[in-house]
Amino acid sequence: MHNEFHRIKRLPPYVFEQVNRLKAEARARGDDIIDFGMGNPDMPTPKHIVDKLVEAVRDPKTNRYSASKGIQGLRRAQAAYYDRRFGVKLNPDTQVVATLGSKEGFANMAQAITAPGDVILVPNPTYPIHEFGFIMSGGVIRHLPASTDSQFMVSLDKAMRHSVPKPSALVLNYPANPTAVVANRDFYAEVVAYAKKHDLIVLSDLAYAEIYFDGEPPGSFLEVPGAMDIAVEFTSVSKTYSMPGWRIGFAVGNERLIQALTRVKSYLDYGAFTPIQVAAAAALNGPQDCVEEIRGVYRRRRDTLVDAITRAGWPIPSPPATMFAWAPIPDMFAHIGSLEFSKLLLERASVAVAPGVGFGEYGEGYVRIALVENEQRIRQAARNIRKFLTESANELHNVIPLAPKATRTL
């Protein structure tokens, strides 16, 4: 019966479900699955943050309903973070709202600004909520390349000129999930100028701002003069402080857009449990050496994964940021596509990855590998993969090609 519901019908099949089902079946058989599939941080939340949660939860006053937009102390902490990290000044009362994770915030923003039939410009491949949040809100998606080169601006201009109705919003995600591409200030400045000229709202997903390895720390879209007039940016404590299950994120930026998001949220939730908000404020205001430690763990895992799996026979490009590697599938499997390759890797090597096609049609030919297993497990995965690739190559070599049909002579 659920297939008859309008919004459900608009959603495509969930690609990851096929791999998840095989993963569950393998674990039920007792198989040891090395799981790089989901971007679910595995490191413990820093002790001082947990201690603050425990302290706050013991106060009976915190058991009551909270504020949908977030307690004032948390919003002030986020404003202070933007000031010291990006040099961006925010009014915590009008330009900051706390969300139940950046994913929920993004979906609610889509509800707030989207009318049926609105055209939204979304990168491809990208994190699914960037697209499906608008689809569920009645929007129409037009894809752009998930890059920062000249082709992006060419594609953006083409989409603006040839879309009917004129696009109303543009989604950006840098450092990018799944591709790990990082944007610089010049790219952001070009987008700001274009968006202001064409009255285009920009929604920037900056969830991986603090998970970077090479070059300068990623910047904020809001650093560019004029960006505050058109944009809202989404961040999260999930990766920065290893707090994924706590479900705390933020939307900051243009007052009118933040007001619209706040109004929608006020009808849908009472905000996160107050002790969690208090602990998140302690994370933002407290010592930040834990952030560098978490970043260091991801860096070591990245280096181990790139080295070990490349030496196993599958070249893995080194990601400059995020907790993901975006890897082209080995040439011998190119013909079967990313979903079937992911299934085969799970069945034959006990290694789970996310098929690239699940992030959009232009993700085909790639898989996303999450850095959520320790270095020992990564090396074990590399050994499994080496064995799998060697056996697969031998199997292909043992196939006897059919002899060509004899040419008829007249």
Side-chain angles (χ1 to χ4, degrees):
M1 185 173 68
H2 67 279
N3 289 330
E4 299 174 3
F5 299 135
H6 172 68
R7 295 193 190 282
I8 300 300
K9 284 195 299 182
R10 297 198 72 201
L11 296 175
Y14 191 56
V15 171
F16 303 118
E17 182 56 36
Q18 297 185 46
V19 178
N20 291 342
R21 186 183 69 253
L22 290 175
K23 188 163 55 179
E25 292 172 356
R27 283 179 170 148
R29 293 192 302 267
D31 294 352
D32 179 23
I33 302 300
I34 302 173
D35 193 353
F36 300 126
M38 185 178 180
N40 192 1
D42 63 311
M43 286 174 269
T45 303
K47 182 177 182 300
H48 70 281
I49 302 173
V50 176
D51 288 345
K52 178 57 69 172
L53 171 72
V54 173
E55 175 189 323
V57 83
R58 286 187 172 131
D59 182 351
K61 293 179 182 177
T62 64
N63 294 332
R64 308 184 71 181
Y65 290 127
S66 191
S68 176
K69 68 184 296 186
I71 61 175
Q72 190 175 59
L74 180 55
R75 287 183 279 113
R76 285 178 176 173
Q78 176 68 349
Y81 162 74
Y82 258 79
D83 190 11
R84 69 175 181 265
R85 174 69 164 79
F86 305 115
V88 173
K89 304 289 186 181
L90 296 167
N91 183 329
D93 293 323
T94 61
Q95 294 180 304
V96 180
V97 59
T99 62
L100 303 178
S102 59
K103 181 177 181 179
E104 178 266 359
F106 202 96
N108 283 348
M109 178 60 83
Q111 287 183 288
I113 68 172
T114 309
D118 279 357
V119 176
I120 312 296
L121 304 177
V122 177
N124 186 337
T126 195
Y127 186 52
I129 196 63
H130 296 153
E131 179 172 2
F132 300 141
F134 287 103
I135 289 174
M136 287 187 286
S137 299
V140 176
I141 303 301
R142 180 154 186 168
H143 292 141
L144 299 177
S147 66
T148 59
D149 56 20
S150 59
Q151 186 58 42
F152 180 91
M153 294 306 300
V154 170
S155 299
L156 173 59
D157 186 60
K158 181 179 179 181
M160 288 297 298
R161 287 187 289 108
H162 297 290
S163 298
V164 179
K166 175 184 171 184
S168 60
L170 165 67
V171 176
L172 299 179
N173 173 214
Y174 304 103
N177 177 7
T179 63
V181 171
V182 179
N184 61 31
R185 188 183 176 95
D186 290 341
F187 172 79
Y188 282 154
E190 195 170 5
V191 173
V192 167
Y194 190 91
K196 287 176 72 71
K197 179 179 179 181
H198 294 276
D199 194 26
L200 193 62
I201 294 168
V202 177
L203 302 180
S204 169
D205 185 345
L206 192 62
Y208 295 92
E210 303 304 335
I211 309 299
Y212 58 88
F213 314 118
D214 306 328
E216 293 294 319
S220 164
F221 186 79
L222 297 176
E223 290 181 56
V224 177
M228 198 69 73
D229 298 333
I230 56 167
V232 163
E233 193 158 69
F234 298 85
T235 57
S236 168
V237 300
S238 294
K239 282 75 180 180
T240 304
Y241 301 100
S242 197
M243 299 170 64
W246 300 53
R247 305 316 302 141
I248 291 290
F250 302 94
V252 307
N254 178 267
E255 290 189 8
R256 178 169 171 264
L257 294 172
I258 292 296
Q259 183 181 31
L261 172 59
T262 303
R263 183 171 174 82
V264 166
K265 273 180 58 63
S266 69
Y267 284 93
L268 298 176
D269 68 70
Y270 286 111
F273 185 36
T274 298
I276 292 178
Q277 296 193 55
V278 171
L284 290 165
N285 292 331
Q288 300 299 299
D289 53 337
C290 60
V291 178
E292 178 57 38
E293 290 172 6
I294 290 169
R295 187 185 303 124
V297 170
Y298 283 127
R299 181 184 289 111
R300 290 190 293 274
R301 290 179 179 182
R302 177 202 66 165
D303 293 344
T304 299
L305 182 134
V306 169
D307 177 65
I309 297 184
T310 296
R311 286 192 292 108
W314 178 11
I316 304 291
S318 182
T322 76
M323 54 185 290
F324 306 112
W326 184 239
I329 63 179
D331 290 343
M332 75 175 85
F333 301 104
H335 64 287
I336 67 173
S338 62
L339 177 57
E340 293 305 315
F341 172 72
S342 298
K343 293 179 183 178
L344 202 58
L345 193 65
L346 180 61
E347 294 168 352
R348 299 277 298 277
S350 296
V351 173
V353 297
V357 71
F359 301 96
E361 59 187 298
Y362 301 140
E364 183 55 272
Y366 291 79
V367 296
R368 191 193 72 177
I369 306 173
L371 304 174
V372 292
E373 296 271 11
N374 64 41
E375 292 168 64
Q376 179 181 347
R377 298 277 285 171
I378 291 171
R379 293 189 183 97
Q380 179 60 55
R383 289 191 289 271
N384 293 1
I385 289 169
R386 178 191 294 276
K387 183 172 182 286
F388 161 62
L389 293 178
T390 300
E391 291 174 349
S392 297
N394 290 336
E395 289 167 5
L396 287 175
H397 291 157
N398 289 334
V399 173
I400 301 174
L402 293 175
K405 294 181 179 179
T407 302
R408 290 174 57 188
T409 56
L410 300 176

